[in-house]
Amino acid sequence: MFALVRRADLAEVIGSALAAKAAGAGVRVIAERLGRAVETVRGWLRRFASRAEEIRRYFTVLLVDAGVDPAPPGPARSVFADAVGAVVGAWWSLGSRWPDIGTVSPWRVACAVSGGILLAPSWPVETINTSRP
């Protein structure tokens, strides 16, 4: 999976906007850097922020459950940044167990793990179970 449901941009584009916001960039700077409309980027950031704590929890559980020797990220300066850190940490942890995962971006992995609905109104629907095929 490489795109999120109801989003025209690739997961990597949206993910780079989320990472930039977590690093402290403003919406206008992010939109300009990505060549996207300010309202589009603002929508991504608002949707992610509205469920940042759930995303942080979900990906932290994945990080711990799937990792060979997991090391959850420490607290960041905001819940938003914590959630982005958990997504990247889960990608790193999955890559430690399955090295081929490290060849794709953390945002493509997040897209796949969420079934493409990371920014959809209905996510998350259930808790993660990494032992289920």
Side-chain angles (χ1 to χ4, degrees):
M1 226 174 236
F2 56 87
L4 296 168
V5 174
R6 299 183 57 184
R7 307 292 171 186
D9 291 288
L10 296 177
E12 286 87 351
V13 174
I14 295 171
S16 66
L18 300 174
K21 173 66 174 168
V27 68
R28 292 185 189 285
V29 171
I30 296 168
E32 184 178 318
R33 192 179 303 158
L34 296 175
R36 300 299 186 272
V38 171
E39 285 306 311
T40 298
V41 173
R42 185 173 286 127
W44 300 337
L45 301 179
R46 282 183 179 161
R47 179 56 60 89
F48 190 85
S50 73
R51 64 172 53 130
E53 180 56 28
E54 290 83 7
I55 292 170
R56 185 201 60 78
R57 258 188 274 127
Y58 186 89
F59 282 93
T60 300
V61 168
L62 177 61
L63 180 158
V64 171
D65 286 352
V68 174
D69 189 16
R77 62 182 170 179
S78 67
V79 176
F80 192 102
D82 282 341
V84 169
V87 169
V88 174
W91 167 77
W92 187 262
S93 190
L94 287 164
S96 72
R97 182 171 297 270
W98 297 285
D100 286 345
I101 288 177
T103 63
V104 298
S105 79
W107 301 105
R108 191 168 285 197
V109 170
C111 183
V113 166
S114 71
I117 60 172
L118 183 66
L119 297 182
S122 62
W123 191 85
V125 222
E126 61 181 46
T127 58
I128 191 166
N129 180 351
T130 57
S131 63
R132 187 176 67 195

